[in-house]
Amino acid sequence: MIPAAFEYYRPTSMEGVLALLQEHGDEARVLAGGHSLIPMMKLRMADVPHLIDLQGIAGLSGITIDGGTIRIGTMTTQHDIIADAALTAAAPIMAEAALQIADPQVRYMGTVGGNVANGDPGNDMPGLMQCLDAQFHLIGPDGERTVAARDFYDSAYMTAREDDEVLTAITFAVPVGGHAYEKQKRKIGDYATAAAAVQISKEGGKVAAASIAMTNLSDTPVWSEAAGAALVGTDCGADAIKAAVAAMLADIDPTEDNRGPVAFKRHVAGIVLGRAIARAWSRA
């Protein structure tokens, strides 16, 4: 539980961060809250010769809601998400998901940006951001660019972020309709065996639109267009939910680990997703 030796940096400007990333290339990593990266370093699963702490950079945290768009700075903590009444009113699924991440001690330090940028398939926020069709804002030596959350994840711990880029913010439209974040885990603080993020809007007693994503059931989060489409135009009854679950089960690819064999994970995924859809519909 002791990491390998590393050089620690705490720059006070984004220019300083980018300069260090360019200098050290793929031997450098940025540190946000540290609750994803530090445990991997302690277990020697990640060798980071140069660690760049973002805590000294002003302007990277905070939540704004303007013109129907929500913006969350990369250093905003899970506790900040839970405590922000305006965000909870505009996008209640954010607080519902954040409250299910680890424990209060972790949530006071763990950041939204670190949770999504690390590429860990077990993290909660990546799937949620895909459900919300969020955009990730990156800055690098060539300037700023935006990548859709649904295009960001390539495989476990591999993302569209270049080694010399930093995630600065996340934006998404204020969601409409009903929501649910459902998670099954072995104990407090554990990764999900399966988790589902669902947003459903209703019109004329039927599903007008549905967005569904799941966590820790493949080497990336899984946003299933087919699962959402299975609900559209229905009254979200048992048959529609069964069709949506079947569509999602066709899209996931779980592996056996200490949370259970593949058959168990697929069973749990179906139960969790069915509950999340029913709860989101009841709130729509």
Side-chain angles (χ1 to χ4, degrees):
M1 297 295 289
I2 299 175
F6 60 89
E7 296 292 330
Y8 172 80
Y9 308 87
R10 190 182 173 100
T12 57
S13 68
M14 185 57 68
E15 291 77 10
V17 174
L18 297 178
L20 287 166
L21 287 173
Q22 285 186 285
E23 178 182 356
H24 300 293
D26 60 6
E27 290 191 341
R29 291 284 298 274
V30 295
L31 176 72
H35 283 285
S36 294
L37 181 57
I38 295 299
M40 292 183 65
M41 292 174 64
K42 286 184 174 181
L43 293 170
R44 302 292 180 102
M45 294 174 65
D47 182 14
V48 183
H50 301 276
L51 190 64
I52 306 168
D53 194 341
L54 296 180
Q55 294 285 345
I57 312 298
L60 289 182
S61 63
I63 301 165
T64 59
I65 305 172
D66 182 29
T69 298
I70 297 171
R71 182 187 186 279
I72 301 175
T74 193
M75 296 296 286
T76 304
T77 67
Q78 307 297 344
H79 173 75
D80 294 335
I81 295 293
I82 296 164
D84 194 296
L87 177 63
T88 298
I93 195 172
M94 289 296 300
E96 185 162 286
L99 278 165
Q100 297 182 61
I101 294 176
D103 52 52
Q105 185 176 11
V106 170
R107 295 195 291 264
Y108 271 106
M109 286 297 295
T111 64
V112 177
N115 197 277
V116 302
N118 192 42
D120 187 336
N123 282 350
D124 292 89
M125 287 290 164
L128 174 57
M129 293 305 168
Q130 290 190 339
C131 175
L132 295 172
D133 197 15
Q135 303 294 308
F136 295 164
H137 300 270
L138 306 164
I139 187 170
D142 296 326
E144 299 182 28
R145 67 185 182 110
T146 301
V147 180
R150 295 172 186 174
D151 298 327
F152 189 72
Y153 300 97
D154 298 325
S155 60
Y157 303 104
M158 300 295 293
T159 71
R161 184 188 66 83
E162 300 293 341
D163 289 336
D164 56 2
E165 288 184 314
V166 177
L167 176 73
T168 58
I170 300 159
T171 59
F172 54 90
V174 172
V176 297
H179 70 281
Y181 191 81
E182 188 83 17
K183 180 176 182 178
Q184 196 279 336
K185 55 188 177 181
R186 298 175 302 172
K187 59 183 177 62
I188 295 297
D190 191 21
Y191 285 120
T193 302
V198 178
Q199 280 284 159
I200 297 177
S201 61
K202 179 190 291 188
E203 187 174 334
K206 304 290 185 180
V207 176
S211 182
I212 300 172
M214 296 200 77
T215 289
N216 216 19
L217 293 163
S218 291
D219 63 353
T220 66
V222 177
W223 176 74
S224 176
E225 184 175 8
L231 297 177
V232 174
T234 75
D235 61 359
C236 212
D239 289 343
I241 293 176
K242 184 177 180 180
V245 168
M248 177 60 81
L249 291 178
D251 286 341
I252 63 174
D253 185 24
T255 57
E256 182 173 350
D257 59 19
N258 58 3
R259 290 171 190 83
V262 170
F264 173 73
K265 288 186 172 185
R266 293 179 66 84
H267 173 72
V268 172
I271 297 298
V272 166
L273 179 54
R275 289 175 179 173
I277 292 172
R279 190 147 53 92
W281 178 243
S282 74
R283 293 166 164 174

